[in-house]
Amino acid sequence: MKATIKILSFILAVSFFSSCTSNTSEETKSSVEEVQKLSVLAPDFKSDLAYEKIKEQLEFGVRLPNTPGHKKCGDWIVETMKSYGLEVTEQEFEAFSFKGKSLEARNIIASYNPTAKKRILLAAHWDTREVADQDDERKNEPILGANDGASGVAILLQIAETIAQSADKPNIGIDYIFFDAEDGGKPESFEGNALNDYGGYLMGSDYWAKNPHIENYTAFYGVLFDMVGAKGATFYKDKISMRVAPSVVNKIWNVASSKGYSSFFLSPIGGDILDDHIPVIQHRNIPMIDIIDQKLGGNQTFFDHWHTHDDNLDAIDVNTLEAVGETMMQTLYEENGVIQ
């Protein structure tokens, strides 16, 4: 996901801002000022284990399509989700680097309670960036992507593990989607043409949104996790999320406040962010929001180490992982009670 989006204004303003409406019901609506009263106690999200799952991803090296680390990490995600008893689908597709190189990519979809009609979509991208275009050194080398990639994956994996090991389970369906080929957009220094409507980014989510793993797939709503593990993270309300699914945003932010994480989940509206929720909204008409670390009021758009080689394990804070993971666990368990 990438810098504040200028191209969205003409790609999306007409195509879905006026036509896409949230399919959430009154049960998810809450005011910005209201603090959510918790009615169900969700199991604890173990942030230390989420941290270890980031570490495991980094041990594969860069997860750039066509590399050994990418293949091994993808296989690991598949086997890990299967070990939690989930139904896993692998969706292979051809993507392209910003230089036009063909990439062997795959989206990974894991489903909990696949027959449930009420479904929540949780997503993150699992690939890493080919270049360190925001770094002062080694700009043409790929990055490890501890926060930009691995943190969102770890949140999804840990949520799935927590539910699998819990005696009480949420009485809804959950689809975890690990999008590939998200971070392949061209750097500003590259003068070639963009390869898709999103500047070469979001290829996995764009492919899945146009070719869902289940025909006519839909969800009650979706939540995207991107750059959700850095020290000092600030999650402002993404502007696009607030346009298409304000009730979902406010619900989750109120849950965060009730759990004591209001220093992470902040009330001001952030920027228009180009991220994997966009194709899902545009092509599947699913009200999907983006939880993403943004910075307001200066020249910095994202966390300090964005698209640099310093996006490594040192950039990660278990307190941030806890805030995000605990908030989402509680939100899921609030949706429709639990199965005893």
Side-chain angles (χ1 to χ4, degrees), residues 6 72 184 186 193:
K6 308 266 194 228
K72 292 177 182 178
K186 65 176 186 177
N193 295 323

Side-chain angles (χ1 to χ4, degrees), residues 40-44 84 86 111-120 122 158-176 221 328-340:
V40 177
L41 183 62
D44 290 338
Y84 301 149
L86 303 182
S111 296
Y112 161 78
N113 200 7
T115 61
K117 291 184 178 180
K118 180 177 180 180
R119 311 204 63 77
I120 308 299
L122 305 181
Q158 191 56 43
I159 288 174
E161 179 180 297
T162 303
I163 292 173
Q165 295 179 350
S166 177
D168 298 331
K169 303 183 186 300
N171 191 20
I172 53 174
I174 304 172
D175 297 298
Y176 305 89
Y221 63 80
M328 197 64 228
M329 284 298 305
Q330 186 64 47
T331 301
L332 292 172
Y333 274 71
E334 287 281 324
E335 276 304 333
N336 199 23
V338 296
I339 302 173
Q340 302 289 341

Side-chain angles (χ1 to χ4, degrees), residues 9-55:
S9 57
F10 70 85
I11 292 178
L12 302 174
V14 176
S15 65
F16 74 80
F17 283 166
S18 60
S19 61
C20 177
T21 57
S22 171
N23 65 0
T24 54
S25 68
E26 291 297 325
E27 69 181 276
T28 66
K29 294 183 179 180
S30 54
S31 68
V32 175
E33 296 82 10
E34 180 185 4
V35 174
Q36 179 100 359
K37 183 178 179 180
L38 304 181
S39 59
V40 177
L41 183 62
D44 290 338
F45 178 91
K46 297 180 180 179
S47 57
D48 57 333
L49 296 184
Y51 179 88
E52 290 300 317
K53 289 176 174 61
I54 295 176
K55 185 177 179 181

Side-chain angles (χ1 to χ4, degrees), residues 110-303:
S111 296
Y112 161 78
N113 200 7
T115 61
K117 291 184 178 180
K118 180 177 180 180
R119 311 204 63 77
I120 308 299
L121 168 61
L122 305 181
H125 77 89
W126 68 279
D127 62 307
T128 51
R129 188 151 174 79
E130 181 178 357
V131 291
D133 48 304
Q134 299 298 315
D135 211 319
D136 295 328
E137 300 178 351
R138 299 161 52 210
K139 284 179 172 288
N140 294 322
E141 296 179 21
I143 66 172
L144 279 177
N147 192 35
D148 192 0
S151 66
V153 170
I155 292 290
L156 266 58
L157 292 172
Q158 191 56 43
I159 288 174
E161 179 180 297
T162 303
I163 292 173
Q165 295 179 350
S166 177
D168 298 331
K169 303 183 186 300
N171 191 20
I172 53 174
I174 304 172
D175 297 298
Y176 305 89
I177 303 188
F178 302 86
F179 291 125
D180 202 356
E182 186 267 6
D183 218 349
K186 65 176 186 177
E188 293 181 3
S189 60
F190 186 76
E191 297 180 354
N193 295 323
L195 297 175
N196 65 2
D197 289 339
Y198 313 114
Y201 291 105
L202 319 186
M203 290 192 178
S205 55
D206 187 44
Y207 183 86
W208 176 84
K210 295 174 180 176
N211 307 275
H213 64 294
I214 295 175
E215 187 176 2
N216 298 321
Y217 174 88
T218 191
F220 193 53
Y221 63 80
V223 182
L224 176 65
F225 301 88
D226 196 357
M227 304 191 302
V228 288
K231 299 172 182 176
T234 48
F235 304 116
Y236 293 97
K237 296 178 177 180
D238 167 58
K239 189 178 292 184
I240 294 167
S241 302
M242 287 296 288
R243 286 172 180 160
V244 301
S247 64
V248 178
V249 175
N250 290 333
K251 175 186 179 69
I252 291 174
W253 261 245
N254 288 338
V255 169
S257 178
S258 71
K259 300 284 285 185
Y261 300 122
S262 56
S263 62
F264 293 94
F265 289 80
L266 305 173
S267 293
I269 306 298
D272 288 329
I273 302 299
L274 177 62
D275 215 345
D276 278 324
H277 61 322
I278 301 302
V280 177
I281 295 168
Q282 189 175 18
H283 299 299
R284 296 250 50 83
N285 200 33
I286 295 172
M288 189 169 192
I289 76 160
D290 194 7
I291 298 179
I292 183 169
D293 187 356
Q294 298 185 55
K295 307 303 176 188
L296 300 181
N299 295 326
Q300 184 178 349
T301 304
F302 301 120
F303 72 111

